[in-house]
C-alpha cells in the first residue's frame, strides 16, 4: 500500500494492546463502517460514519471523526507493518454507561444525542493504544455487504478464515 487510493476500500480487523478487538471498513474517501467485537463497547456497530481520511506519508493513513455519542476517535494505520495506533476520547457518560451505545447506532441516533445532553461529558476518558492488524482485505469501495450484520462471537475468525465473504 502506498497511495491514498490504495487504502480506500480496505477492510481490517485489529486487536489493541488492551485486548479490545475492532473491525473497520474504509468505505470511501470520507466514510467508514465498523464493528466492535470486544472491549468496553463490544457489540456496538455503525454504518456510514463520516470521517476525515488523509495519507500522512506513503503507506501511512489517518482516520479521524466525532461520533453522535460525543466520542472522538483518531486512528493511524500502518498496514504494511500490520500495525495501527488509535486514540479514543470517551465522554464521561460513555465510560459510565457503555451499554447505552452498544447497539446498531444508525437506528438510535436520537438516543445518542439525548444521552450526550443528559449525562456528563467531563472529565473525558482517553484511551491511547497500539494494535496489531490481524486481517486486511480489499472488497472495493462502497460495498454494502461488508458491514451488514451485527457482530457475533467468532465472526472475526470467520472473516479471517474466508468463511464470511463480501462479494
Ligand atoms: C476504533 C476505535 C474506536 C474504531 C472505532 C471506535 C472503527 C469507535 C468508538 C466509539 O464510537 O465508541 O479503532 O474503529
Amino acid at each position: 500500500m502506498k497511495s491514498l487510493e490504495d487504502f480506500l476500500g480496505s477492510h481490517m480487523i485489529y486487536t489493541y494492546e488492551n485486548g479490545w478487538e475492532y473491525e473497520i471498513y474504509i468505505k470511501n474517501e470520507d466514510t467508514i463502517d465498523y464493528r466492535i467485537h470486544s472491549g468496553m463497547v463490544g457489540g456496538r456497530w455503525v454504518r456510514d460514519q463520516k470521517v476525515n481520511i488523509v495519507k500522512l506519508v506513503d503507506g501511512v493513513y489517518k482516520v479521524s471523526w466525532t461520533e453522535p455519542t460525543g466520542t472522538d476517535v483518531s486512528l493511524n494505520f500502518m498496514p504494511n507493518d500490520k500495525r495501527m495506533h488509535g486514540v479514543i476520547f470517551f465522554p464521561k457518560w460513555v465510560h459510565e454507561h457503555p451499554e447505552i451505545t452498544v447497539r446498531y447506532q444508525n437506528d438510535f441516533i436520537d438516543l445518542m444525542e439525548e444521552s450526550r445532553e443528559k449525562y456528563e461529558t467531563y472529565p473525558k476518558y482517553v484511551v491511547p493504544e497500539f494494535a496489531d492488524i490481524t486481517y486486511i482485505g480489499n472488497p472495493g469501495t462502497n460495498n454494502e455487504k461488508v458491514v451488514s450484520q451485527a457482530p457475533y462471537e467468532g465472526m472475526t475468525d470467520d472473516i479471517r478464515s474466508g468463511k464470511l465473504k463480501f462479494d
Side-chain angles (χ1 to χ4, degrees), residues 14 16 22-25 32-36 41 44 46 65 67 69 71-73 75 77 84 86-88 90 94 101 105:
Y14 44 97
Y16 285 108
Y22 281 65
E23 174 188 1
I24 192 168
Y25 169 51
I32 61 166
D33 293 349
Y34 69 84
R35 278 184 284 239
I36 303 177
V41 286
R44 175 176 162 74
V46 172
W65 72 98
E67 293 277 341
T69 58
T71 299
D72 299 316
V73 186
L75 310 175
F77 289 94
M84 64 83 75
V87 189
I88 314 172
F90 290 109
V94 177
T101 73
Q105 176 173 268

Side-chain angles (χ1 to χ4, degrees), residues 8-28:
L8 304 181
S10 295
H11 177 210
M12 292 173 283
I13 299 168
Y14 44 97
T15 306
Y16 285 108
E17 288 178 351
N18 64 7
W20 299 0
E21 188 177 43
Y22 281 65
E23 174 188 1
I24 192 168
Y25 169 51
I26 310 295
K27 199 174 216 175
N28 59 48

Side-chain angles (χ1 to χ4, degrees), residues 79-147:
N80 296 330
D81 297 306
K82 299 252 182 6
R83 288 281 281 176
M84 64 83 75
H85 185 272
V87 189
I88 314 172
F89 306 79
F90 290 109
K92 184 180 180 188
W93 77 267
V94 177
H95 193 206
E96 289 184 338
H97 308 282
E99 70 288 348
I100 298 175
T101 73
V102 176
R103 52 184 80 240
Y104 177 50
Q105 176 173 268
N106 297 55
D107 288 343
F108 294 92
I109 301 295
D110 289 349
L111 177 63
M112 299 304 122
E113 293 180 349
E114 284 159 27
S115 300
R116 77 185 184 195
E117 297 300 334
K118 180 170 170 189
Y119 300 111
E120 287 182 14
T121 302
Y122 308 106
K124 292 197 180 179
Y125 174 56
V126 182
V127 182
E129 292 281 340
F130 281 98
D132 286 319
I133 300 174
T134 61
Y135 172 85
I136 306 181
N138 192 317
T141 54
N142 299 312
N143 184 335
E144 301 294 348
K145 292 178 192 151
V146 181
V147 176

